[in-house]
Amino acid sequence: MLPFDSFDAYLFNASRALCSPLAVFIQIQGCFICLILALGWALAAYVRGREIRRMKSSMKSGNSFAFLTLDINELEHSNQVNLPRVSIVMPLKGFGEHNLHNWRSQITSLYGGPLEFLFVVENTADPAYHAVKRLLADFKDAVDAKVIVAGLSTTCSQKIHNQLVGVDQMHKDTKYVLFLDDDVRLHPGSIGALTTEMEKNPDVISILKQLYALAQYASLLINSSFHLLWLRDVIFCLCTCQIFIQTGYPLDLPSGTLGSYCIYEYHMPCSMGFATGGKTFFLWGGCMMMHANDFRTDRHGVVSGLRDGGYSDDMTLAAIAGAHKRLITSPPVAVFPHPLATDLTFPRYWNYLRKQTFVLESYTTKVNWIMNRALFTTHCYLSWGFVAPYVMAGIHMAAALRYYFKEYSLEVTVLTCSGGLLLAGCLAICTVIELLSMWNLTRIEVHLCNTLSPEAPQLSLASYNWCLVFIAMLVDNFLYPLSAMRSHLSQSINWSGIRYHLRDGKICKIDRHKHLVPKITDLAGKDLLGKQGSTPKVAIISSLSRTLAQWRQPKKYDI
């Protein structure tokens, strides 16, 4: 056997040390994390795939509009005229390469009931203001839409402030309000699908409330309240089964940069919580449908909870839903294409990650704080628990290669590297299974999006680079704990040119200075400051879409 040089000795000793019981546990744990992710994505793929099979079956039965509804009878005029009014509130900030396409997909929805679209901007200097104005001028009276100038927020985040201003100006007959981010690309039937879920069993609760009023009157006559209390409890149980919030989740379309793949990888584990086909504990602020009366009456404190120091709309509303045992659901068709900016650099990805981890620093109640701390700890542990086995496997592989090229004796090689190579091989197999499961879920979601939007350019997996996906998995999971710890220590964040400071989980201070405003936002590459000259021209959509928009939307309503 040739003598070891200093580097080889260090490498071989490290490989042997990583075969200790604790190191073996960490590496086996990494394998289990991979397999758990693979299982979660497989279950999510089953739910999404089941919806595709249902639509195909409906199409074979003669329903050419299965992408809108599985029951073609729901498209009858007698059903369409009874659909509830929906107000779509879209808080805007800046103008980017995908915004026009996203906005067109939102205002050309094939929902048969009355709709109004409220685009809310901070001020008229925002580049989004003139772009939306030009888009709406193209549609004229085909849609009921307007741009609202919200002004500056003082007690909450600017996004929440824009949302609440939009809610204040929605139509008095609005039954449901749908909050959408400007990077959401809707399908023609998305609003209808969300509304259909919200409308499940509303009459039962209404009838019980009328019975409760009668029972309350009867109790005065017979001087008995036992049946009244019983009926009240029944109504309470049914009300908690009524949907509080409908949500969905985006399907990221990476642009080819490492930063875009890191964001895709970051969102993929979260997507499992939104692919339940029903009840979920997760909420995405980019798509939330709620009862309009909840805001009119400030039910459960939804308005005050958001307005008074609210930083994250989805985290605040999810905490309220949990505290009052209200239902959050996500229908299987609520998955939306989310193209990422073509120039999404790695520093912009890091800024986005910082914003995501900073969300865990906001809370409304003590229970909410405990849940955030538990999520913070668990996510950090699992992130580094995922990365550490690959570092160990790399050391084992490097040691084996050094043995091979230095031509050390086979006995020493087997004695030192056999256990490490076995663990590295197991991890490689688990990684392949994980990537295949991620690929399968992405493939099915792409197929589902193409089925739900037959008129749109078809999405494809051909542009996905799975080597970059694997690298992004390691980079993102390594950086997440660092970002989370920095967010915890700083208690402040620069979000789209506004610096928010937290105290006790709520915004206590807002700074606005010109030097804080970046030229573009993190994900969509949106211009925040505006450019000299005219805004891009808006393409004219097909005459069919215009006709359908005019058919479903009556003339403008008085607000």
Side-chain angles (χ1 to χ4, degrees):
M1 181 184 70
L2 297 175
F4 295 157
D5 58 32
S6 59
F7 174 77
D8 287 345
Y10 176 81
L11 189 61
F12 300 153
N13 289 334
S15 180
R16 282 192 292 268
L18 293 179
C19 291
S20 66
L22 177 59
V24 170
F25 167 78
I26 293 174
Q27 292 172 84
I28 293 176
Q29 176 184 256
C31 293
F32 274 105
I33 293 174
C34 291
L35 294 177
I36 290 172
L37 288 171
L39 177 61
W41 286 325
L43 294 175
Y46 171 77
V47 173
R48 304 291 195 195
R50 182 178 59 190
E51 198 63 21
I52 295 175
R53 292 190 292 272
R54 287 176 178 173
M55 284 191 284
K56 287 184 176 181
S57 177
S58 181
M59 290 177 183
K60 289 181 180 178
S61 300
N63 179 12
S64 301
F65 298 97
F67 64 97
L68 296 177
T69 175
L70 295 179
D71 184 4
I72 197 170
N73 294 323
E74 293 182 1
L75 298 179
E76 294 288 341
H77 179 72
S78 58
N79 292 324
Q80 296 287 297
V81 295
N82 294 320
L83 290 175
R85 168 177 276 273
V86 179
S87 294
I88 294 88
V89 177
M90 287 162 281
L92 307 181
K93 182 75 171 180
F95 179 73
E97 58 183 305
H98 301 296
N99 281 138
L100 285 178
H101 192 167
N102 297 336
W103 296 338
R104 282 198 296 269
S105 73
Q106 293 167 358
I107 65 178
T108 57
S109 168
L110 297 185
Y111 178 67
L115 288 173
E116 69 170 345
F117 301 89
L118 306 174
F119 296 87
V120 190
V121 296
E122 177 183 313
N123 53 53
T124 56
D126 193 313
Y129 176 80
H130 299 287
V132 173
K133 279 286 190 180
R134 183 166 297 198
L135 173 66
L136 298 185
D138 219 33
F139 283 86
K140 296 182 179 179
D141 290 336
V143 294
D144 182 4
K146 64 179 180 179
V147 184
I148 300 172
V149 179
L152 301 180
S153 63
T154 57
T155 61
C156 59
S157 68
Q158 187 64 46
K159 177 185 177 181
I160 290 177
H161 176 71
N162 289 8
Q163 290 173 326
L164 295 179
V165 170
V167 167
D168 286 340
Q169 298 196 31
M170 66 184 175
H171 195 278
K172 60 183 178 63
D173 295 329
T174 291
K175 186 173 184 180
Y176 301 113
V177 56
L178 175 60
F179 298 105
L180 291 177
D181 281 355
D182 57 4
D183 56 358
V184 174
R185 185 169 296 179
L186 289 185
H187 307 293
S190 293
I191 298 177
L194 293 170
T195 306
T196 299
E197 291 294 316
M198 295 292 283
E199 284 287 283
K200 286 184 176 179
N201 301 324
D203 295 333
V204 175
I205 296 175
S206 177
I207 292 172
L208 283 173
K209 286 181 177 179
Q210 294 177 15
L211 289 175
Y212 178 73
L214 292 174
Q216 191 174 25
Y217 175 74
S219 67
L220 297 176
L221 299 179
I222 63 177
N223 195 24
S224 173
S225 61
F226 174 76
H227 65 288
L228 185 64
L229 294 174
W230 176 82
L231 186 57
R232 183 189 64 187
D233 293 339
V234 171
I235 294 174
F236 174 78
C237 292
L238 285 175
C239 284
T240 57
C241 295
Q242 187 183 40
I243 294 175
F244 181 51
I245 305 175
Q246 283 268 27
T247 189
Y249 208 64
L251 167 63
D252 289 325
L253 306 175
S255 59
T257 65
L258 178 60
S260 67
Y261 279 102
C262 285
I263 290 171
Y264 162 76
E265 189 282 327
Y266 173 81
H267 284 158
M268 283 303 289
C270 301
S271 68
M272 294 184 290
F274 294 86
T276 61
K279 182 178 179 181
T280 181
F281 297 101
F282 300 90
L283 182 59
W284 178 50
C287 175
M288 302 185 298
M289 177 175 277
M290 302 181 63
H291 297 268
N293 280 336
D294 288 348
F295 287 89
R296 294 189 179 105
T297 62
D298 194 17
R299 188 178 187 186
H300 305 317
V302 293
V303 174
S304 56
L306 291 168
R307 181 191 58 220
D308 301 335
Y311 169 74
S312 170
D313 53 342
D314 47 14
M315 293 293 285
T316 301
L317 292 173
I320 292 174
H324 295 276
K325 297 180 174 59
R326 297 303 307 275
L327 189 62
I328 301 174
T329 64
S330 181
V333 294
V335 55
F336 311 106
H338 181 214
L340 299 172
T342 54
D343 59 346
L344 202 160
T345 60
F346 192 80
R348 284 162 59 190
Y349 150 72
W350 168 252
N351 290 335
Y352 174 77
L353 185 62
R354 280 273 289 114
K355 295 174 183 178
Q356 295 303 302
T357 56
F358 189 76
V359 166
L360 295 179
E361 300 304 314
S362 64
Y363 56 89
T364 56
T365 63
K366 185 67 175 180
V367 174
N368 187 209
W369 177 84
I370 294 173
M371 294 293 292
N372 284 2
R373 294 279 68 80
L375 185 59
F376 174 96
T377 305
T378 302
H379 201 157
C380 289
Y381 175 82
L382 292 177
S383 290
W384 276 356
F386 176 84
V387 174
Y390 290 98
V391 176
M392 297 178 177
I395 293 175
H396 291 312
M397 293 296 296
L401 290 174
R402 291 296 290 178
Y403 272 116
Y404 176 78
F405 288 114
K406 287 289 187 176
E407 299 181 351
Y408 294 122
S409 67
L410 182 61
E411 294 181 3
V412 175
T413 304
V414 173
L415 181 63
T416 306
C417 299
S418 58
L421 289 177
L422 178 61
L423 291 171
C426 292
L427 182 62
I429 294 173
C430 294
T431 301
V432 171
I433 295 174
E434 178 192 19
L435 288 173
L436 285 174
S437 184
M438 182 190 292
W439 168 83
N440 183 54
L441 174 59
T442 306
R443 176 185 64 85
I444 289 177
E445 289 188 337
V446 165
H447 188 186
L448 179 59
C449 288
N450 288 336
T451 305
L452 292 170
S453 295
E455 84 295 345
Q458 298 294 280
L459 307 178
S460 172
L461 279 177
S463 62
Y464 281 70
N465 186 326
W466 294 98
C467 291
L468 274 180
V469 170
F470 173 70
I471 295 173
M473 290 167 60
L474 298 179
V475 172
D476 181 66
N477 282 284
F478 175 75
L479 291 178
Y480 183 91
L482 299 179
S483 176
M485 287 184 281
R486 182 177 176 184
S487 297
H488 178 67
L489 295 174
S490 67
Q491 291 295 297
S492 67
I493 190 74
N494 181 354
W495 192 297
S496 296
I498 305 173
R499 181 165 291 280
Y500 300 102
H501 301 265
L502 296 184
R503 181 186 298 136
D504 297 328
K506 295 183 179 295
I507 291 177
C508 63
K509 181 181 177 183
I510 301 176
D511 292 330
R512 289 182 173 89
H513 301 289
K514 288 185 178 180
H515 72 274
L516 293 175
V517 182
K519 184 177 179 181
I520 51 180
T521 53
D522 299 320
L523 292 189
K526 294 187 295 183
D527 174 31
L528 296 181
L529 300 175
K531 297 180 179 179
Q532 299 296 327
S534 60
T535 55
K537 294 185 178 181
V538 179
I540 302 176
I541 65 170
S542 66
S543 59
L544 175 61
S545 296
R546 284 184 176 277
T547 303
L548 290 172
Q550 293 172 349
W551 164 78
R552 66 144 207 281
Q553 187 70 35
K555 294 297 181 182
K556 296 215 175 210
Y557 288 81
D558 294 330
I559 303 297

